[in-house]
Amino acid sequence: MNILIERTYFANGTNGDLHVDGKPRCHSIELPWHNNVAGTSCIPEGTYNLQKHISQHLGNCLEVMDVPGRSAILVHPANNALLELRGCIAPVTTLTGPGMGDNSKVQVNALVHEAYATLERGEDVVLVVRKK
């Protein structure tokens, strides 16, 4: 399973177009780019493997592995990057502003369901993040 996020950067957040296996799926929101500073920046552009992650607070998520200089980067629900994210990625249905969207939980649940099934078959789930 290949997930592509093509980003557009803004001062107050980062918006993305999220594709799964070459097909448009939804959008994404993240913190603005602040030189990969933990807790205040989105992650660097690059290619990452995703793994299952179960959070007591967030439920079933995906963990972005081997992010340079970072740990505990998740794909989880959020609708406002500045208020709800600390470097993680939130798929959303609609973008409502820089780093803002809606109906995140619906998109995360669908993506996690598909990714978990892929991982259970022994296949990789790969995330590519790049500038639009």
Side-chain angles (χ1 to χ4, degrees), residues 15-36:
N15 293 351
D17 295 324
L18 192 150
H19 297 77
V20 175
D21 293 330
K23 297 178 183 173
R25 169 68 67 89
C26 59
H27 302 281
S28 64
I29 60 169
E30 301 173 72
L31 291 172
W33 175 249
H34 287 148
N35 297 312
N36 199 33

Side-chain angles (χ1 to χ4, degrees), residues 31 33-42 69-70 86-87:
L31 291 172
W33 175 249
H34 287 148
N35 297 312
N36 199 33
V37 174
T40 63
S41 179
C42 59
R70 306 286 284 277
R86 298 293 171 258

Side-chain angles (χ1 to χ4, degrees), residues 79-91:
N79 292 307
N80 185 317
L82 290 177
L83 297 177
E84 300 174 83
L85 300 177
R86 298 293 171 258
C88 298
I89 300 168

Side-chain angles (χ1 to χ4, degrees), residues 1-78:
M1 179 177 178
N2 294 297
I3 301 169
L4 169 65
I5 295 177
E6 292 185 307
R7 286 176 170 165
T8 303
Y9 297 94
F10 300 97
N12 292 325
T14 301
N15 293 351
D17 295 324
L18 192 150
H19 297 77
V20 175
D21 293 330
K23 297 178 183 173
R25 169 68 67 89
C26 59
H27 302 281
S28 64
I29 60 169
E30 301 173 72
L31 291 172
W33 175 249
H34 287 148
N35 297 312
N36 199 33
V37 174
T40 63
S41 179
C42 59
I43 64 172
E45 295 174 6
T47 301
Y48 305 98
N49 285 316
L50 301 181
Q51 294 294 323
K52 293 180 183 181
H53 182 86
I54 300 173
S55 163
Q56 288 183 337
H57 175 67
L58 300 166
N60 291 344
C61 305
L62 294 166
E63 183 172 2
V64 184
M65 307 305 294
D66 301 318
V67 178
R70 306 286 284 277
S71 62
I73 301 297
L74 303 177
V75 177
H76 70 77

